[in-house]
Amino acid sequence: MRSALALLAAISPVLAGVQEVWWNITYVLNANPDGLQPRRVIGINGTWPPPAVDIQSTDDLLVHAYNSLDQPMTLHHHGMFFNSTSWMDGALAISQCGVPPGQSFDYTVPISSNGQWGTYWVHSHAGGQYVDGLRAPVVIHPPQEKYQYDEEFTVVLGDWYHDEHAVLLKQFISIANPGGAEPVPNSALIYFAQNATYLGPISGTHPDSVTAAVGFNDNATLPFQPGKTYRLRVVNTSAFAMFYFWIDGHDMRIIEADGTDVEESPIDLLTVTVAQRYSILVTARNDTSQNWMIHANMDTDMFDTVPLTLNPNITSSVTYDSSNSVTDLGTIDAYSDVDDIALVPLVVEPMLPSTRTIPLTLSFDTMDDGTNRAMFNGQTFVSPLVPTVMSEMSLGANATVAQAYGPFSFVLNHLEVFDILLQNSDTGKHPFHLHGHKFQIVQRSLDYTSSDPTLNPPINESQTNPMRRDTVQLPAGEGVVLRVVADNPGAWIFHCHIEWHLEAGLAVTLIEAPLQAQERNAIPDVMFQQCAALGMPSSGNAAGHPTSDLLDLSGWTLGPFQQVLGWRPKGIVAMTGCVLTAVIGMLTVTWYSLGGHISEEEMEHEVRMQQEAKLRRGKFFGLIKPKN
Ligand SMILES: *[C@@H]1O[C@H](CO)[C@@H](O)[C@H](O)[C@H]1NC(C)=O
Ligand SMILES: *[C@@H]1O[C@H](CO)[C@@H](O)[C@H](O)[C@H]1NC(C)=O
Ligand SMILES: *[C@@H]1O[C@H](CO)[C@@H](O)[C@H](O)[C@H]1NC(C)=O
Ligand SMILES: *[C@@H]1O[C@H](CO)[C@@H](O)[C@H](O)[C@H]1NC(C)=O
Ligand SMILES: *[C@@H]1O[C@H](CO)[C@@H](O)[C@H](O)[C@H]1NC(C)=O
Ligand SMILES: *[C@@H]1O[C@H](CO)[C@@H](O)[C@H](O)[C@H]1NC(C)=O
Ligand SMILES: *[C@@H]1O[C@H](CO)[C@@H](O)[C@H](O)[C@H]1NC(C)=O
Ligand SMILES: *[C@@H]1O[C@H](CO)[C@@H](O)[C@H](O)[C@H]1NC(C)=O
Ligand SMILES: *[C@@H]1O[C@H](CO)[C@@H](O)[C@H](O)[C@H]1NC(C)=O
Ligand SMILES: *[C@@H]1O[C@H](CO)[C@@H](O)[C@H](O)[C@H]1NC(C)=O
């Protein structure tokens, strides 16, 4: 503990306070937040949900984490910069080997020196543990808020599965699921916190005992007083599902997105994709004669099937006077997305000219092992054997050689300004998160293949203050350009925040300013000891080979890879795209199981049918476009 505090002191030369929390990360049996099915979850000190964190921006956070699980664990403080200490970022296989079972690790989270405040969250970045419940909101208060309000609440939204993540993952990445249908959540959760304490259930309701201290969904309510203005911090902790959020009878104004304060902007409907956060101001009504419904509707577009048992539209309420009834204005006509490129940051940050473009096109495909995987530029991400930051710190002058980190890695020069040109060739929408940075969203195209400038405009280099955030939503067929300054030496992952897609390989790593990283802080010894305890190498290239074998990645199993053409019947070859290969993958399985007893014509017919069905789905996705 002393060493961790010393480290914090070194990072934060200005005398700052330290808020310490002790988290014993444990399994919790029979948690039943949705009231539908008790299940084992991951919580803290035998309780769930993990405590909300509330901290002043002049302080630093020190999390003493003890791992009582039977698997390596990490904590990622989502959106925090960890300037020059990227090994504290908690991304398994990028920043650390993981805290072994029965061991502890002190996460030092610099805040006072980072100039960050607003709404964040903390979650595990290992083995889908956050899907099993290891996730909590983090609220950072600046000395002076930009907006005035009377009181604030944190609104936590999340999808919820009745099965454990490991079970679902096995079904997801499987030759029995060549089309890559993601596990559909069993329900959704909404619950509230204030001052690091979750609000309890409405009196008179008696939820299941293990999670009885917290009110969920209909059993939760926000107490409003007439005329007061409330700041609601909405955090989406989903693994998959996106939400639409609104409050009947009340207007909302956005004032913050992912820790960036923005000019007040009215909004009818808040779209919160996985891992995004928004703060809204809501002015309470003057009359207390009725209470009002809060709606959080899960977006089911991405679900391959919507089970009849799933209620995607959950509700909670705003209470003025508990003796009155709740007014439900019910459904809405059409969903729309928040046009985040139109938000204007209060603190102006100019757009610097970019000197490099990293094009990343995402796709899904059925691979040569029959499973469905995600790819950037045709390459599915596989965790390196050595955490990337440990390679970066141990390779000396050779640390600038990108091939040493594997095929999905990019080495950046110190203070280089670069663009990530992100294109979505898939029929689903994907939320992307860059660690260690906020990016500016400098261009969006509704169709990245189009030559029509209304659909695919050139980058406007004259923008004076583009919106910046840490998580961006990318709808089907669209493109976005993210401008980033490489001002944070270390190793950072850029990935889809849909947990299933990260695990299917939708990630790349950025190795930033290796030589500057080596000159700055050192990785704490305990991290090397924990790698050793887990039997993992902690130096050399991605496969653990020394600089003398810099480009030797043997021992590290890459892949699977895209299928080679060849066996396909001639009629099918003319069709292109990942949709097709996915379907063919599915049919390959059928074809083999039938001992090849299916004619080329039959197969072609089947492929055409399936392709049309998928296209219809894609069109449906396309219906939801940003509002102007
Ligand atoms: C967890 O338990 C430890 C040991 O009893 C205690 O010091 C700590 O404050 C607890 N943490 C939380 C968040 O309850
Ligand atoms: C953490 O919790 C487990 C299970 O309750 C307990 O056995 C262990 O002693 C605790 N460890 C610490 C460091 O508090
Ligand atoms: C929450 O914290 C604020 C500031 O610390 C304080 O003014 C307020 O009274 C607290 N509210 C509750 C309900 O504890
Ligand atoms: C709300 O409380 C009731 C009991 O009063 C319980 O049956 C129901 O499952 C609870 N709902 C949730 C979402 O916890
Ligand atoms: C949370 O993110 C998921 C995944 O993008 C999304 O489907 C869901 O609608 C989001 N929730 C909210 C409240 O926006
Ligand atoms: C509440 O009443 C005050 C004073 O009459 C008025 O200024 C305000 O606009 C009213 N608020 C709402 C939400 O109607
Ligand atoms: C959920 O709400 C949407 C929008 O109001 C509506 O179209 C849909 O039918 C609802 N779904 C269910 C299962 O109630
Ligand atoms: C690694 O560094 C050594 C010494 O600086 C150099 O001779 C060698 O060419 C480098 N290897 C590669 C692949 O760049
Ligand atoms: C580019 O952005 C500037 C500043 O916001 C604006 O004045 C100008 O009209 C934009 N140009 C185009 C072509 O949209
Ligand atoms: C990191 O700190 C340096 C100053 O030491 C600063 O120039 C840079 O902007 C910071 N980067 C981030 C991402 O906070």
Side-chain angles (χ1 to χ4, degrees), residues 21-24 44-45 51:
V21 297
W22 281 263
W23 279 16
N24 186 353
I44 307 293
N45 284 12

Side-chain angles (χ1 to χ4, degrees), residues 227 283-286:
T283 300
R285 299 171 70 95
N286 285 332

Side-chain angles (χ1 to χ4, degrees), residues 405-480:
Y405 304 92
F408 25 69
S409 304
F410 300 86
V411 173
L412 299 161
N413 298 322
H414 192 215
L415 300 178
E416 177 174 27
V417 180
F418 63 101
D419 281 343
I420 297 176
L421 171 63
L422 188 62
Q423 303 178 324
N424 181 1
S425 82
D426 183 47
T427 52
K429 21 183 160 180
H430 299 270
F432 284 93
H433 172 46
L434 174 61
H435 288 215
H437 297 274
K438 274 183 194 172
F439 42 72
Q440 292 176 324
I441 306 174
V442 297
Q443 190 261 14
R444 255 188 196 281
S445 74
L446 297 177
D447 175 359
Y448 70 85
T449 61
S450 174
S451 53
D452 177 350
T454 60
L455 294 174
N456 190 13
I459 299 174
N460 180 351
E461 293 290 345
S462 312
Q463 297 171 75
T464 46
N465 183 25
M467 179 56 192
R468 52 182 191 273
R469 62 188 316 174
D470 61 45
T471 306
V472 68
Q473 170 84 315
L474 187 60
E478 298 197 7
V480 68

